[in-house]
mmCIF file of all heavy atoms in Angstrom:
data_model
loop_
_atom_site.group_PDB
_atom_site.id
_atom_site.type_symbol
_atom_site.label_atom_id
_atom_site.label_comp_id
_atom_site.label_asym_id
_atom_site.label_seq_id
_atom_site.Cartn_x
_atom_site.Cartn_y
_atom_site.Cartn_z
ATOM 1 N N LEU E 15 120.120 70.423 -94.495
ATOM 2 C CA LEU E 15 120.466 71.660 -95.204
ATOM 3 C C LEU E 15 121.899 71.998 -94.962
ATOM 4 O O LEU E 15 122.652 72.416 -95.854
ATOM 5 C CB LEU E 15 119.508 72.774 -94.778
ATOM 6 C CG LEU E 15 119.826 74.145 -95.407
ATOM 7 C CD1 LEU E 15 119.615 74.082 -96.882
ATOM 8 C CD2 LEU E 15 118.924 75.207 -94.746
ATOM 9 N N SER E 16 122.365 71.841 -93.741
ATOM 10 C CA SER E 16 123.721 72.183 -93.337
ATOM 11 C C SER E 16 124.730 71.293 -94.068
ATOM 12 O O SER E 16 125.711 71.743 -94.653
ATOM 13 C CB SER E 16 123.985 72.026 -91.810
ATOM 14 O OG SER E 16 123.143 72.939 -91.139
ATOM 15 N N LEU E 17 124.380 70.009 -94.330
ATOM 16 C CA LEU E 17 125.237 69.125 -95.015
ATOM 17 C C LEU E 17 125.273 69.502 -96.483
ATOM 18 O O LEU E 17 126.324 69.502 -97.171
ATOM 19 C CB LEU E 17 124.745 67.669 -94.866
ATOM 20 C CG LEU E 17 124.991 67.092 -93.440
ATOM 21 C CD1 LEU E 17 124.347 65.695 -93.397
ATOM 22 C CD2 LEU E 17 126.493 66.978 -93.179
ATOM 23 N N THR E 18 124.100 69.867 -96.998
ATOM 24 C CA THR E 18 124.038 70.275 -98.394
ATOM 25 C C THR E 18 124.884 71.548 -98.584
ATOM 26 O O THR E 18 125.642 71.670 -99.565
ATOM 27 C CB THR E 18 122.634 70.546 -98.782
ATOM 28 O OG1 THR E 18 121.819 69.437 -98.607
ATOM 29 C CG2 THR E 18 122.481 71.016 -100.270
ATOM 30 N N LEU E 19 124.747 72.491 -97.666
ATOM 31 C CA LEU E 19 125.495 73.747 -97.872
ATOM 32 C C LEU E 19 127.024 73.487 -97.671
ATOM 33 O O LEU E 19 127.859 74.133 -98.364
ATOM 34 C CB LEU E 19 125.022 74.743 -96.756
ATOM 35 C CG LEU E 19 123.570 75.182 -96.992
ATOM 36 C CD1 LEU E 19 123.134 76.048 -95.815
ATOM 37 C CD2 LEU E 19 123.392 75.951 -98.288
ATOM 38 N N LEU E 20 127.386 72.587 -96.814
ATOM 39 C CA LEU E 20 128.795 72.305 -96.688
ATOM 40 C C LEU E 20 129.387 71.806 -98.019
ATOM 41 O O LEU E 20 130.469 72.189 -98.408
ATOM 42 C CB LEU E 20 129.054 71.185 -95.612
ATOM 43 C CG LEU E 20 130.451 70.772 -95.369
ATOM 44 C CD1 LEU E 20 131.322 71.913 -94.861
ATOM 45 C CD2 LEU E 20 130.484 69.643 -94.410
ATOM 46 N N MET E 21 128.571 71.079 -98.721
ATOM 47 C CA MET E 21 129.092 70.506 -100.005
ATOM 48 C C MET E 21 129.077 71.576 -101.144
ATOM 49 O O MET E 21 129.806 71.466 -102.078
ATOM 50 C CB MET E 21 128.199 69.326 -100.457
ATOM 51 C CG MET E 21 128.235 68.127 -99.502
ATOM 52 S SD MET E 21 129.912 67.521 -99.163
ATOM 53 C CE MET E 21 130.309 66.876 -100.819
ATOM 54 N N SER E 22 128.224 72.580 -100.929
ATOM 55 C CA SER E 22 128.152 73.619 -101.986
ATOM 56 C C SER E 22 128.557 74.985 -101.594
ATOM 57 O O SER E 22 128.466 75.930 -102.370
ATOM 58 C CB SER E 22 126.583 73.702 -102.426
ATOM 59 O OG SER E 22 125.819 74.117 -101.388
ATOM 60 N N SER E 23 129.066 75.092 -100.382
ATOM 61 C CA SER E 23 129.411 76.438 -99.849
ATOM 62 C C SER E 23 130.379 77.195 -100.662
ATOM 63 O O SER E 23 130.429 78.442 -100.586
ATOM 64 C CB SER E 23 129.818 76.384 -98.379
ATOM 65 O OG SER E 23 131.015 75.579 -98.278
ATOM 66 N N CYS E 24 131.268 76.497 -101.318
ATOM 67 C CA CYS E 24 132.309 77.168 -102.056
ATOM 68 C C CYS E 24 132.048 77.206 -103.546
ATOM 69 O O CYS E 24 132.970 77.310 -104.349
ATOM 70 C CB CYS E 24 133.614 76.479 -101.705
ATOM 71 S SG CYS E 24 133.501 74.615 -101.786
ATOM 72 N N ASN E 25 130.761 77.099 -103.951
ATOM 73 C CA ASN E 25 130.435 76.989 -105.404
ATOM 74 C C ASN E 25 130.904 78.277 -106.134
ATOM 75 O O ASN E 25 131.146 78.199 -107.323
ATOM 76 C CB ASN E 25 129.042 76.751 -105.657
ATOM 77 C CG ASN E 25 128.152 77.939 -105.226
ATOM 78 O OD1 ASN E 25 128.508 78.752 -104.485
ATOM 79 N ND2 ASN E 25 126.866 77.906 -105.786
ATOM 80 N N PHE E 26 131.100 79.401 -105.492
ATOM 81 C CA PHE E 26 131.515 80.594 -106.160
ATOM 82 C C PHE E 26 132.925 80.463 -106.627
ATOM 83 O O PHE E 26 133.434 81.270 -107.503
ATOM 84 C CB PHE E 26 131.303 81.863 -105.356
ATOM 85 C CG PHE E 26 132.419 82.115 -104.303
ATOM 86 C CD1 PHE E 26 133.336 83.022 -104.577
ATOM 87 C CD2 PHE E 26 132.341 81.472 -103.076
ATOM 88 C CE1 PHE E 26 134.340 83.256 -103.600
ATOM 89 C CE2 PHE E 26 133.348 81.713 -102.142
ATOM 90 C CZ PHE E 26 134.365 82.593 -102.426
#
Side-chain angles (χ1 to χ4, degrees):
L15 180 62
S16 297
L17 291 173
T18 302
L19 295 173
L20 179 62
M21 298 304 292
S22 63
S23 63
C24 44
N25 68 340
F26 79 99

